Amino acid sequence: DVKVTQSSRYLVKRTGEKVFLECVQDMDHENMFWYRQDPGLGLRLIYFSYDVKMKEKGDIPEGYSVSREKKERFSLILESASTNQTSMYLCASSHRGTGDETQYFGPGTRLLVL
Amino acid sequence: AQSVTQPDIHITVSEGASLELRCNYSYGATPYLFWYVQSPGQGLQLLLKYFSGDTLVQGIKGFEAEFKRSQSSFNLRKPSVHWSDAAEYFCAVGADSGTYKYIFGTGTRLKVLA
């Protein structure tokens, strides 16, 4: 079974702090994704990566950055957390170029910024 | 631009009743279509997917969905709902061949009455 893990289920941070959210997948997937989920807005793509050290902006990249130094790990960074970044963050991964684009999701990290 | 619409924000059904959740998409080519389920506080679990071939797709937990190109729809159905099906359901379309990005609907929250 595909397994996508996220480093924390719940996080509480203060405004202005630097926040790291980690995601690890064990299926040798090329693609990895970070989404933000808010009530009534569904899932919105923040960033995705299709290879090590490669990244592309999604629909709402402002205030976020990412890092992918190893194939299995994709980090989301909030350089200076703000209260409007309080949300549920979901990581996903998928194969590239196999004809099966199914994304597999982690359990999510619920972030509260005070 | 590609889009996904889930017209029902909330649906309430009685246990044992049949269920249909609606999903309409806008996409220029043949889409990849997905249904995911999210239990409270959890990540997204894949229910089923359509890539090509038979337009009636069977998934896990007794769910099925039918792709209707003429109606640009991919509705999710279950003949008899169980209390454990109470969750939020998301429809997604695979967008932009080569980028492997999804567009998600805003979700339908299902409540099941005992």
Side-chain angles (χ1 to χ4, degrees):
Chain A
D1 279 354
V2 175
K3 191 166 184 183
V4 180
T5 57
Q6 296 183 229
S7 52
S8 304
R9 295 298 304 275
Y10 301 94
L11 273 180
V12 181
K13 298 293 182 180
R14 297 216 174 266
T15 302
E17 279 192 78
K18 190 169 187 175
V19 181
F20 293 87
L21 303 182
E22 300 282 332
C23 176
V24 177
Q25 51 93 5
D26 67 357
M27 282 301 293
D28 202 34
H29 284 168
E30 294 79 11
N31 299 324
M32 295 188 75
F33 307 81
W34 275 107
Y35 292 92
R36 171 177 171 157
Q37 182 182 15
D38 299 287
L41 298 178
L43 277 72
R44 294 179 291 168
L45 182 65
I46 304 172
Y47 269 97
F48 77 100
S49 169
Y50 50 90
D51 203 348
V52 175
K53 297 191 186 294
M54 306 304 289
K55 61 185 179 184
E56 282 197 24
K57 293 180 180 179
D59 301 316
I60 52 164
E62 296 78 18
Y64 303 95
S65 62
V66 291
S67 172
R68 192 163 180 204
E69 298 296 320
K70 293 185 177 182
K71 190 175 185 179
E72 68 271 17
R73 189 179 300 268
F74 191 35
S75 302
L76 180 69
I77 303 155
L78 287 65
E79 295 289 343
S80 178
S82 65
T83 55
N84 63 13
Q85 292 178 310
T86 291
S87 189
M88 174 74 136
Y89 291 88
L90 293 166
C91 175
S93 69
S94 71
H95 270 307
R96 175 181 174 88
T98 64
D100 184 340
E101 302 187 18
T102 305
Q103 290 186 19
Y104 296 91
F105 284 81
T109 296
R110 190 166 294 280
L111 173 66
L112 173 63
V113 182
L114 300 173
Chain B
Q2 296 91 358
S3 65
V4 176
T5 301
Q6 292 181 248
D8 303 305
I9 299 173
H10 298 279
I11 283 185
T12 300
V13 300
S14 297
E15 190 170 20
S18 63
L19 173 70
E20 183 170 30
L21 302 182
R22 295 183 290 166
C23 173
N24 294 97
Y25 67 89
S26 171
Y27 189 68
T30 300
Y32 292 178
L33 294 161
F34 306 84
W35 274 101
Y36 286 85
V37 61
Q38 185 180 36
S39 298
Q42 303 298 315
L44 273 66
Q45 181 183 20
L46 179 71
L47 281 177
L48 48 78
K49 59 189 177 185
Y50 172 79
F51 287 174
S52 64
D54 192 344
T55 56
L56 185 61
V57 181
Q58 301 297 321
I60 63 170
K61 304 186 180 188
F63 285 92
E64 67 178 25
E66 186 170 12
F67 170 54
K68 293 185 177 180
R69 184 188 301 275
S70 61
Q71 299 177 20
S72 298
S73 69
F74 189 57
N75 294 348
L76 182 71
R77 300 192 295 248
K78 186 169 185 179
S80 178
V81 170
H82 188 263
W83 64 266
S84 60
D85 293 323
E88 191 156 23
Y89 292 79
F90 291 93
C91 181
V93 60
D96 292 340
S97 175
T99 66
Y100 310 98
K101 293 194 293 183
Y102 286 12
I103 295 173
F104 282 86
T106 52
T108 297
R109 185 169 297 278
L110 174 66
K111 183 177 179 179
V112 180
L113 300 177

mmCIF file of all heavy atoms in Angstrom, chain A residues 31 33 45 48 50 56-59 94-97 101 103, chain B residues 1-4 25-34 92-104:
data_model
loop_
_atom_site.group_PDB
_atom_site.id
_atom_site.type_symbol
_atom_site.label_atom_id
_atom_site.label_comp_id
_atom_site.label_asym_id
_atom_site.label_seq_id
_atom_site.Cartn_x
_atom_site.Cartn_y
_atom_site.Cartn_z
ATOM 1 N N ASN A 31 6.057 12.684 -8.388
ATOM 2 C CA ASN A 31 5.316 13.925 -8.116
ATOM 3 C C ASN A 31 4.919 14.008 -6.654
ATOM 4 O O ASN A 31 4.478 13.015 -6.055
ATOM 5 C CB ASN A 31 4.025 13.969 -8.935
ATOM 6 C CG ASN A 31 4.279 13.937 -10.425
ATOM 7 O OD1 ASN A 31 5.240 14.504 -10.923
ATOM 8 N ND2 ASN A 31 3.396 13.265 -11.139
ATOM 9 N N PHE A 33 2.862 16.928 -3.877
ATOM 10 C CA PHE A 33 1.981 18.094 -3.888
ATOM 11 C C PHE A 33 1.709 18.566 -2.459
ATOM 12 O O PHE A 33 1.613 17.743 -1.540
ATOM 13 C CB PHE A 33 0.624 17.738 -4.508
ATOM 14 C CG PHE A 33 0.696 17.105 -5.868
ATOM 15 C CD1 PHE A 33 0.957 15.752 -6.010
ATOM 16 C CD2 PHE A 33 0.497 17.862 -7.006
ATOM 17 C CE1 PHE A 33 1.023 15.154 -7.258
ATOM 18 C CE2 PHE A 33 0.553 17.279 -8.262
ATOM 19 C CZ PHE A 33 0.819 15.923 -8.386
ATOM 20 N N LEU A 45 -4.209 24.047 -4.511
ATOM 21 C CA LEU A 45 -2.818 23.631 -4.668
ATOM 22 C C LEU A 45 -1.883 24.788 -4.345
ATOM 23 O O LEU A 45 -2.000 25.875 -4.912
ATOM 24 C CB LEU A 45 -2.589 23.148 -6.099
ATOM 25 C CG LEU A 45 -1.207 22.633 -6.420
ATOM 26 C CD1 LEU A 45 -0.889 21.366 -5.618
ATOM 27 C CD2 LEU A 45 -1.091 22.345 -7.919
ATOM 28 N N PHE A 48 3.716 22.185 -6.241
ATOM 29 C CA PHE A 48 4.004 20.783 -6.501
ATOM 30 C C PHE A 48 5.411 20.621 -7.068
ATOM 31 O O PHE A 48 6.021 21.575 -7.539
ATOM 32 C CB PHE A 48 2.935 20.143 -7.381
ATOM 33 C CG PHE A 48 3.014 20.474 -8.843
ATOM 34 C CD1 PHE A 48 3.586 19.579 -9.733
ATOM 35 C CD2 PHE A 48 2.491 21.650 -9.334
ATOM 36 C CE1 PHE A 48 3.639 19.861 -11.078
ATOM 37 C CE2 PHE A 48 2.545 21.938 -10.676
ATOM 38 C CZ PHE A 48 3.115 21.046 -11.558
ATOM 39 N N TYR A 50 7.824 17.829 -9.429
ATOM 40 C CA TYR A 50 7.800 16.660 -10.305
ATOM 41 C C TYR A 50 9.148 15.933 -10.321
ATOM 42 O O TYR A 50 9.321 14.956 -11.059
ATOM 43 C CB TYR A 50 7.369 17.046 -11.718
ATOM 44 C CG TYR A 50 8.132 18.214 -12.295
ATOM 45 C CD1 TYR A 50 9.303 18.011 -13.014
ATOM 46 C CD2 TYR A 50 7.677 19.513 -12.120
ATOM 47 C CE1 TYR A 50 9.998 19.067 -13.545
ATOM 48 C CE2 TYR A 50 8.379 20.590 -12.637
ATOM 49 C CZ TYR A 50 9.532 20.362 -13.356
ATOM 50 O OH TYR A 50 10.222 21.416 -13.869
ATOM 51 N N GLU A 56 7.019 23.767 -8.856
ATOM 52 C CA GLU A 56 6.195 24.713 -9.612
ATOM 53 C C GLU A 56 5.138 25.297 -8.683
ATOM 54 O O GLU A 56 4.614 24.585 -7.818
ATOM 55 C CB GLU A 56 5.501 24.028 -10.794
ATOM 56 C CG GLU A 56 6.410 23.789 -11.974
ATOM 57 C CD GLU A 56 5.643 23.492 -13.250
ATOM 58 O OE1 GLU A 56 4.471 23.899 -13.364
ATOM 59 O OE2 GLU A 56 6.233 22.851 -14.137
ATOM 60 N N LYS A 57 4.831 26.546 -8.893
ATOM 61 C CA LYS A 57 3.799 27.189 -8.104
ATOM 62 C C LYS A 57 2.431 26.644 -8.481
ATOM 63 O O LYS A 57 2.162 26.358 -9.648
ATOM 64 C CB LYS A 57 3.823 28.697 -8.324
ATOM 65 C CG LYS A 57 5.073 29.377 -7.797
ATOM 66 C CD LYS A 57 5.035 30.874 -8.058
ATOM 67 C CE LYS A 57 6.292 31.541 -7.524
ATOM 68 N NZ LYS A 57 6.294 32.998 -7.796
ATOM 69 N N GLY A 58 1.611 26.520 -7.451
ATOM 70 C CA GLY A 58 0.233 26.156 -7.682
ATOM 71 C C GLY A 58 -0.634 27.396 -7.761
ATOM 72 O O GLY A 58 -0.208 28.435 -8.250
ATOM 73 N N ASP A 59 -1.822 27.283 -7.218
ATOM 74 C CA ASP A 59 -2.777 28.383 -7.322
ATOM 75 C C ASP A 59 -2.620 29.444 -6.241
ATOM 76 O O ASP A 59 -2.989 30.596 -6.433
ATOM 77 C CB ASP A 59 -4.205 27.818 -7.273
ATOM 78 C CG ASP A 59 -4.457 26.836 -8.398
ATOM 79 O OD1 ASP A 59 -4.059 27.138 -9.541
ATOM 80 O OD2 ASP A 59 -5.029 25.759 -8.136
ATOM 81 N N SER A 94 2.207 11.125 -6.423
ATOM 82 C CA SER A 94 1.733 10.302 -7.538
ATOM 83 C C SER A 94 2.905 9.947 -8.436
ATOM 84 O O SER A 94 3.949 10.603 -8.419
ATOM 85 C CB SER A 94 0.666 11.038 -8.350
ATOM 86 O OG SER A 94 1.232 12.113 -9.093
ATOM 87 N N HIS A 95 2.701 8.921 -9.245
ATOM 88 C CA HIS A 95 3.685 8.572 -10.252
ATOM 89 C C HIS A 95 3.632 9.574 -11.396
ATOM 90 O O HIS A 95 2.663 10.316 -11.562
ATOM 91 C CB HIS A 95 3.427 7.164 -10.795
ATOM 92 C CG HIS A 95 4.139 6.097 -10.041
ATOM 93 N ND1 HIS A 95 5.497 6.126 -9.807
ATOM 94 C CD2 HIS A 95 3.681 4.966 -9.457
ATOM 95 C CE1 HIS A 95 5.837 5.066 -9.114
ATOM 96 N NE2 HIS A 95 4.756 4.343 -8.883
ATOM 97 N N ARG A 96 4.663 9.570 -12.184
ATOM 98 C CA ARG A 96 4.753 10.454 -13.348
ATOM 99 C C ARG A 96 5.006 9.600 -14.583
ATOM 100 O O ARG A 96 5.896 8.748 -14.575
ATOM 101 C CB ARG A 96 5.907 11.433 -13.157
ATOM 102 C CG ARG A 96 6.201 12.343 -14.346
ATOM 103 C CD ARG A 96 7.400 13.232 -14.005
ATOM 104 N NE ARG A 96 7.820 14.031 -15.139
ATOM 105 C CZ ARG A 96 7.339 15.230 -15.438
ATOM 106 N NH1 ARG A 96 6.401 15.745 -14.689
ATOM 107 N NH2 ARG A 96 7.786 15.904 -16.463
ATOM 108 N N GLY A 97 4.164 9.813 -15.613
ATOM 109 C CA GLY A 97 4.436 9.180 -16.898
ATOM 110 C C GLY A 97 4.043 7.727 -17.014
ATOM 111 O O GLY A 97 4.440 7.057 -17.956
ATOM 112 N N GLU A 101 -2.415 8.569 -12.935
ATOM 113 C CA GLU A 101 -2.095 9.816 -12.256
ATOM 114 C C GLU A 101 -2.707 9.908 -10.871
ATOM 115 O O GLU A 101 -2.831 10.988 -10.306
ATOM 116 C CB GLU A 101 -2.582 10.981 -13.110
ATOM 117 C CG GLU A 101 -1.985 10.986 -14.504
ATOM 118 C CD GLU A 101 -2.349 12.232 -15.279
ATOM 119 O OE1 GLU A 101 -2.756 13.229 -14.662
ATOM 120 O OE2 GLU A 101 -2.235 12.204 -16.505
ATOM 121 N N GLN A 103 -3.439 10.390 -7.235
ATOM 122 C CA GLN A 103 -2.734 11.012 -6.123
ATOM 123 C C GLN A 103 -3.141 10.328 -4.822
ATOM 124 O O GLN A 103 -4.318 10.057 -4.596
ATOM 125 C CB GLN A 103 -3.053 12.505 -6.042
ATOM 126 C CG GLN A 103 -2.451 13.295 -7.193
ATOM 127 C CD GLN A 103 -2.633 14.792 -7.037
ATOM 128 O OE1 GLN A 103 -2.890 15.314 -5.958
ATOM 129 N NE2 GLN A 103 -2.481 15.507 -8.149
ATOM 130 N N ALA B 1 -11.233 27.511 -18.955
ATOM 131 C CA ALA B 1 -10.438 26.926 -17.887
ATOM 132 C C ALA B 1 -11.167 25.716 -17.321
ATOM 133 O O ALA B 1 -12.392 25.647 -17.315
ATOM 134 C CB ALA B 1 -10.207 27.945 -16.778
ATOM 135 N N GLN B 2 -10.354 24.773 -16.853
ATOM 136 C CA GLN B 2 -10.965 23.580 -16.260
ATOM 137 C C GLN B 2 -11.639 23.937 -14.942
ATOM 138 O O GLN B 2 -11.174 24.797 -14.198
ATOM 139 C CB GLN B 2 -9.896 22.518 -16.004
ATOM 140 C CG GLN B 2 -9.227 21.998 -17.253
ATOM 141 C CD GLN B 2 -7.995 22.792 -17.609
ATOM 142 O OE1 GLN B 2 -7.658 23.762 -16.948
ATOM 143 N NE2 GLN B 2 -7.319 22.389 -18.664
ATOM 144 N N SER B 3 -12.728 23.218 -14.651
ATOM 145 C CA SER B 3 -13.420 23.452 -13.387
ATOM 146 C C SER B 3 -14.188 22.206 -13.001
ATOM 147 O O SER B 3 -14.483 21.350 -13.845
ATOM 148 C CB SER B 3 -14.370 24.648 -13.481
ATOM 149 O OG SER B 3 -15.412 24.368 -14.386
ATOM 150 N N VAL B 4 -14.492 22.107 -11.734
ATOM 151 C CA VAL B 4 -15.291 21.012 -11.199
ATOM 152 C C VAL B 4 -16.347 21.616 -10.283
ATOM 153 O O VAL B 4 -16.015 22.437 -9.417
ATOM 154 C CB VAL B 4 -14.428 20.009 -10.410
ATOM 155 C CG1 VAL B 4 -15.297 18.937 -9.788
ATOM 156 C CG2 VAL B 4 -13.374 19.386 -11.317
ATOM 157 N N TYR B 25 -18.036 18.644 -14.589
ATOM 158 C CA TYR B 25 -16.708 19.163 -14.866
ATOM 159 C C TYR B 25 -16.692 19.901 -16.182
ATOM 160 O O TYR B 25 -17.564 19.711 -17.044
ATOM 161 C CB TYR B 25 -15.686 18.017 -14.898
ATOM 162 C CG TYR B 25 -15.901 17.086 -16.058
ATOM 163 C CD1 TYR B 25 -15.296 17.309 -17.281
ATOM 164 C CD2 TYR B 25 -16.768 16.004 -15.933
ATOM 165 C CE1 TYR B 25 -15.536 16.487 -18.365
ATOM 166 C CE2 TYR B 25 -17.006 15.172 -17.009
ATOM 167 C CZ TYR B 25 -16.394 15.422 -18.221
ATOM 168 O OH TYR B 25 -16.640 14.606 -19.277
ATOM 169 N N SER B 26 -15.697 20.728 -16.308
ATOM 170 C CA SER B 26 -15.449 21.415 -17.569
ATOM 171 C C SER B 26 -14.003 21.144 -17.934
ATOM 172 O O SER B 26 -13.084 21.503 -17.183
ATOM 173 C CB SER B 26 -15.680 22.925 -17.410
ATOM 174 O OG SER B 26 -15.242 23.621 -18.564
ATOM 175 N N TYR B 27 -13.818 20.463 -19.059
ATOM 176 C CA TYR B 27 -12.465 20.083 -19.462
ATOM 177 C C TYR B 27 -12.466 19.816 -20.949
ATOM 178 O O TYR B 27 -13.369 19.172 -21.464
ATOM 179 C CB TYR B 27 -12.009 18.849 -18.691
ATOM 180 C CG TYR B 27 -10.557 18.487 -18.869
ATOM 181 C CD1 TYR B 27 -9.560 19.310 -18.364
ATOM 182 C CD2 TYR B 27 -10.188 17.326 -19.533
ATOM 183 C CE1 TYR B 27 -8.229 18.989 -18.526
ATOM 184 C CE2 TYR B 27 -8.860 16.998 -19.692
ATOM 185 C CZ TYR B 27 -7.881 17.839 -19.185
ATOM 186 O OH TYR B 27 -6.565 17.525 -19.339
ATOM 187 N N GLY B 28 -11.455 20.296 -21.656
ATOM 188 C CA GLY B 28 -11.451 20.230 -23.108
ATOM 189 C C GLY B 28 -11.235 18.844 -23.679
ATOM 190 O O GLY B 28 -11.789 18.494 -24.700
ATOM 191 N N ALA B 29 -10.425 18.056 -23.016
ATOM 192 C CA ALA B 29 -10.095 16.723 -23.541
ATOM 193 C C ALA B 29 -10.790 15.667 -22.676
ATOM 194 O O ALA B 29 -11.589 15.990 -21.809
ATOM 195 C CB ALA B 29 -8.588 16.540 -23.505
ATOM 196 N N THR B 30 -10.484 14.409 -22.946
ATOM 197 C CA THR B 30 -11.023 13.355 -22.088
ATOM 198 C C THR B 30 -10.379 13.459 -20.720
ATOM 199 O O THR B 30 -9.150 13.397 -20.600
ATOM 200 C CB THR B 30 -10.740 11.975 -22.692
ATOM 201 O OG1 THR B 30 -11.363 11.901 -23.977
ATOM 202 C CG2 THR B 30 -11.283 10.895 -21.787
ATOM 203 N N PRO B 31 -11.185 13.621 -19.710
ATOM 204 C CA PRO B 31 -10.602 13.861 -18.383
ATOM 205 C C PRO B 31 -10.258 12.568 -17.660
ATOM 206 O O PRO B 31 -10.777 11.498 -17.969
ATOM 207 C CB PRO B 31 -11.743 14.573 -17.660
ATOM 208 C CG PRO B 31 -12.980 13.960 -18.254
ATOM 209 C CD PRO B 31 -12.646 13.671 -19.695
ATOM 210 N N TYR B 32 -9.351 12.710 -16.706
ATOM 211 C CA TYR B 32 -9.195 11.692 -15.677
ATOM 212 C C TYR B 32 -10.075 12.159 -14.514
ATOM 213 O O TYR B 32 -9.972 13.309 -14.095
ATOM 214 C CB TYR B 32 -7.747 11.607 -15.205
ATOM 215 C CG TYR B 32 -6.770 11.074 -16.211
ATOM 216 C CD1 TYR B 32 -5.407 10.994 -15.889
ATOM 217 C CD2 TYR B 32 -7.153 10.632 -17.469
ATOM 218 C CE1 TYR B 32 -4.490 10.498 -16.792
ATOM 219 C CE2 TYR B 32 -6.239 10.142 -18.367
ATOM 220 C CZ TYR B 32 -4.911 10.075 -18.031
ATOM 221 O OH TYR B 32 -3.997 9.586 -18.924
ATOM 222 N N LEU B 33 -10.928 11.296 -13.993
ATOM 223 C CA LEU B 33 -11.890 11.684 -12.978
ATOM 224 C C LEU B 33 -11.741 10.823 -11.736
ATOM 225 O O LEU B 33 -11.497 9.616 -11.828
ATOM 226 C CB LEU B 33 -13.318 11.553 -13.527
ATOM 227 C CG LEU B 33 -13.652 12.516 -14.668
ATOM 228 C CD1 LEU B 33 -14.864 12.038 -15.448
ATOM 229 C CD2 LEU B 33 -13.901 13.924 -14.121
ATOM 230 N N PHE B 34 -11.916 11.445 -10.591
ATOM 231 C CA PHE B 34 -11.696 10.775 -9.319
ATOM 232 C C PHE B 34 -12.780 11.171 -8.320
ATOM 233 O O PHE B 34 -13.298 12.285 -8.354
ATOM 234 C CB PHE B 34 -10.337 11.188 -8.720
ATOM 235 C CG PHE B 34 -9.172 11.000 -9.637
ATOM 236 C CD1 PHE B 34 -8.839 11.963 -10.570
ATOM 237 C CD2 PHE B 34 -8.392 9.858 -9.553
ATOM 238 C CE1 PHE B 34 -7.757 11.796 -11.428
ATOM 239 C CE2 PHE B 34 -7.304 9.684 -10.394
ATOM 240 C CZ PHE B 34 -6.992 10.653 -11.326
ATOM 241 N N ALA B 92 -12.719 15.149 -8.341
ATOM 242 C CA ALA B 92 -11.549 15.835 -8.888
ATOM 243 C C ALA B 92 -11.356 15.432 -10.341
ATOM 244 O O ALA B 92 -11.695 14.319 -10.748
ATOM 245 C CB ALA B 92 -10.295 15.504 -8.082
ATOM 246 N N VAL B 93 -10.809 16.335 -11.114
ATOM 247 C CA VAL B 93 -10.478 16.062 -12.512
ATOM 248 C C VAL B 93 -8.991 16.294 -12.707
ATOM 249 O O VAL B 93 -8.434 17.254 -12.175
ATOM 250 C CB VAL B 93 -11.317 16.933 -13.472
ATOM 251 C CG1 VAL B 93 -11.087 18.414 -13.236
ATOM 252 C CG2 VAL B 93 -10.998 16.597 -14.920
ATOM 253 N N GLY B 94 -8.349 15.382 -13.421
ATOM 254 C CA GLY B 94 -6.952 15.538 -13.753
ATOM 255 C C GLY B 94 -6.815 16.556 -14.851
ATOM 256 O O GLY B 94 -7.434 16.421 -15.920
ATOM 257 N N ALA B 95 -6.019 17.579 -14.607
ATOM 258 C CA ALA B 95 -5.933 18.714 -15.518
ATOM 259 C C ALA B 95 -4.575 18.750 -16.189
ATOM 260 O O ALA B 95 -3.599 18.236 -15.671
ATOM 261 C CB ALA B 95 -6.167 19.995 -14.738
ATOM 262 N N ASP B 96 -4.534 19.354 -17.347
ATOM 263 C CA ASP B 96 -3.279 19.699 -18.009
ATOM 264 C C ASP B 96 -2.323 18.522 -18.141
ATOM 265 O O ASP B 96 -1.414 18.356 -17.335
ATOM 266 C CB ASP B 96 -2.564 20.825 -17.259
ATOM 267 C CG ASP B 96 -3.325 22.132 -17.357
ATOM 268 O OD1 ASP B 96 -4.140 22.260 -18.276
ATOM 269 O OD2 ASP B 96 -3.086 22.989 -16.529
ATOM 270 N N SER B 97 -2.557 17.738 -19.139
ATOM 271 C CA SER B 97 -1.689 16.594 -19.396
ATOM 272 C C SER B 97 -0.219 16.977 -19.309
ATOM 273 O O SER B 97 0.226 17.936 -19.923
ATOM 274 C CB SER B 97 -1.991 16.064 -20.803
ATOM 275 O OG SER B 97 -1.097 15.032 -21.133
ATOM 276 N N GLY B 98 0.497 16.240 -18.547
ATOM 277 C CA GLY B 98 1.920 16.502 -18.369
ATOM 278 C C GLY B 98 2.239 17.199 -17.071
ATOM 279 O O GLY B 98 3.380 17.192 -16.637
ATOM 280 N N THR B 99 1.282 17.815 -16.442
ATOM 281 C CA THR B 99 1.556 18.467 -15.170
ATOM 282 C C THR B 99 1.007 17.682 -13.987
ATOM 283 O O THR B 99 1.366 17.952 -12.868
ATOM 284 C CB THR B 99 0.970 19.886 -15.109
ATOM 285 O OG1 THR B 99 -0.461 19.791 -15.132
ATOM 286 C CG2 THR B 99 1.438 20.728 -16.265
ATOM 287 N N TYR B 100 0.101 16.764 -14.265
ATOM 288 C CA TYR B 100 -0.425 15.864 -13.245
ATOM 289 C C TYR B 100 -1.124 16.586 -12.117
ATOM 290 O O TYR B 100 -1.192 16.110 -11.003
ATOM 291 C CB TYR B 100 0.707 14.977 -12.688
ATOM 292 C CG TYR B 100 1.474 14.327 -13.798
ATOM 293 C CD1 TYR B 100 2.664 14.871 -14.241
ATOM 294 C CD2 TYR B 100 0.969 13.221 -14.452
ATOM 295 C CE1 TYR B 100 3.351 14.302 -15.293
ATOM 296 C CE2 TYR B 100 1.651 12.639 -15.506
ATOM 297 C CZ TYR B 100 2.840 13.188 -15.917
ATOM 298 O OH TYR B 100 3.507 12.625 -16.958
ATOM 299 N N LYS B 101 -1.646 17.743 -12.398
ATOM 300 C CA LYS B 101 -2.364 18.480 -11.374
ATOM 301 C C LYS B 101 -3.832 18.119 -11.413
ATOM 302 O O LYS B 101 -4.380 17.794 -12.454
ATOM 303 C CB LYS B 101 -2.203 19.987 -11.588
ATOM 304 C CG LYS B 101 -0.786 20.485 -11.379
ATOM 305 C CD LYS B 101 -0.722 21.991 -11.266
ATOM 306 C CE LYS B 101 -1.083 22.664 -12.568
ATOM 307 N NZ LYS B 101 -0.944 24.140 -12.448
ATOM 308 N N TYR B 102 -4.484 18.192 -10.248
ATOM 309 C CA TYR B 102 -5.916 17.988 -10.144
ATOM 310 C C TYR B 102 -6.607 19.323 -9.928
ATOM 311 O O TYR B 102 -6.030 20.263 -9.386
ATOM 312 C CB TYR B 102 -6.264 17.141 -8.921
ATOM 313 C CG TYR B 102 -5.983 15.681 -8.966
ATOM 314 C CD1 TYR B 102 -5.213 15.095 -9.958
ATOM 315 C CD2 TYR B 102 -6.494 14.859 -7.984
ATOM 316 C CE1 TYR B 102 -4.949 13.743 -9.959
ATOM 317 C CE2 TYR B 102 -6.238 13.503 -7.973
ATOM 318 C CZ TYR B 102 -5.461 12.952 -8.963
ATOM 319 O OH TYR B 102 -5.204 11.607 -8.949
ATOM 320 N N ILE B 103 -7.888 19.348 -10.312
ATOM 321 C CA ILE B 103 -8.772 20.408 -9.854
ATOM 322 C C ILE B 103 -9.858 19.731 -9.032
ATOM 323 O O ILE B 103 -10.481 18.764 -9.498
ATOM 324 C CB ILE B 103 -9.371 21.180 -11.031
ATOM 325 C CG1 ILE B 103 -8.252 21.907 -11.786
ATOM 326 C CG2 ILE B 103 -10.412 22.184 -10.537
ATOM 327 C CD1 ILE B 103 -8.709 22.568 -13.049
ATOM 328 N N PHE B 104 -10.047 20.224 -7.822
ATOM 329 C CA PHE B 104 -11.011 19.627 -6.916
ATOM 330 C C PHE B 104 -12.301 20.426 -6.869
ATOM 331 O O PHE B 104 -12.291 21.661 -6.975
ATOM 332 C CB PHE B 104 -10.445 19.574 -5.490
ATOM 333 C CG PHE B 104 -9.465 18.475 -5.269
ATOM 334 C CD1 PHE B 104 -8.121 18.655 -5.570
ATOM 335 C CD2 PHE B 104 -9.871 17.247 -4.778
ATOM 336 C CE1 PHE B 104 -7.209 17.633 -5.378
ATOM 337 C CE2 PHE B 104 -8.966 16.222 -4.577
ATOM 338 C CZ PHE B 104 -7.644 16.417 -4.880
#
